[in-house]
Amino acid sequence: MQPMSLLITTCALFVGSHLLLSHPLRAGLAGRLGERGFMIVYSIVAIATFVLIVQAWRGMPPEPPLWAVDDPLWILASLLVLVASILFMGSLIGNPAMPAPNAAAAAQAAPRGVFAITRHPMMWGFTLWALAHALVMPTPGQIVLSATIAFLALVGSAGQDAKKARLMGDSWRHWAARTSFVPFARQVAGTTPWGDALPRGHALFGGIVLWLAATWAHGALGFMVAGIWRWVG
């Protein structure tokens, strides 16, 4: 199999197995195996298919970039990763989409910070991270990998909406009615004040720290120098 075909195949396996186990197959398998047994199977499949992607990625030959990458594009990508980091850190506290015992209670709170931006801040963070990588490493292989991550994040979020509505009922539907799937859709529509979307402290400062650490590690581990480290030091 050609390297690109292998990469596409492994990405399809990763996405397909994740979506199947997360939604149509979950109830049946969890009923037979128990929740703990299901999570073990889910984790094994996820890790195995991810390892296949890594191996396929490592086997890709050098590819010429599809467009020139200059400083303005690096600045845009760096800002996208910063926003992604803020969304990710903000999603870790008070998120009704997380499998936590207090999810229903969290859904009763007024959406503020990253949740006023989108009810799926973690998944949009992954999407922006993938987009940033495609912008500054515009090879066919990287675009396939970035598209895989973004597709899984956004389609998984849509599936999560349906699953949470079944599990949480009116609590989730009430939360969904006061939030948006697409970032800033409610602000643009004029139904939510822009001030509500200002990130809270843990999201803003945690996101900045994560961004600085991750972009520093990018260069320190031998990959391309990223973030502000391209221009300082």
Side-chain angles (χ1 to χ4, degrees), residues 3-121:
M4 178 58 81
S5 298
L6 182 60
L7 179 63
I8 293 172
T9 300
T10 55
C11 286
L13 284 172
F14 180 72
V15 171
S17 62
H18 183 92
L19 294 179
L20 284 172
L21 289 174
S22 295
H23 302 291
L25 300 181
R26 181 184 180 104
L29 287 174
R32 293 184 181 91
L33 304 174
E35 193 64 30
R36 181 178 177 82
F38 170 79
M39 289 307 300
I40 292 173
V41 171
Y42 180 90
S43 299
I44 290 172
V45 173
I47 293 170
T49 51
F50 181 74
V51 169
L52 290 176
I53 290 178
V54 171
Q55 293 303 317
W57 173 254
R58 288 179 175 173
M60 289 291 293
E63 297 177 301
L66 299 177
W67 56 79
V69 179
D70 52 12
D71 275 356
L73 203 55
W74 267 106
I75 292 172
L76 174 59
S78 299
L79 290 175
L80 287 175
V81 174
L82 174 58
V83 173
S85 300
I86 292 171
L87 289 173
F88 178 81
M89 294 303 292
S91 73
L92 299 179
I93 297 178
N95 188 352
M98 299 286 276
N102 62 342
Q108 302 306 312
R112 293 287 186 271
V114 297
F115 300 111
I117 298 173
T118 171
R119 64 177 166 273
H120 294 292

Side-chain angles (χ1 to χ4, degrees), residues 159-171:
Q160 190 177 55
D161 275 346
K163 181 172 70 175
K164 283 290 185 175
R166 290 195 305 271
L167 295 175
M168 295 174 56
D170 288 342
S171 293

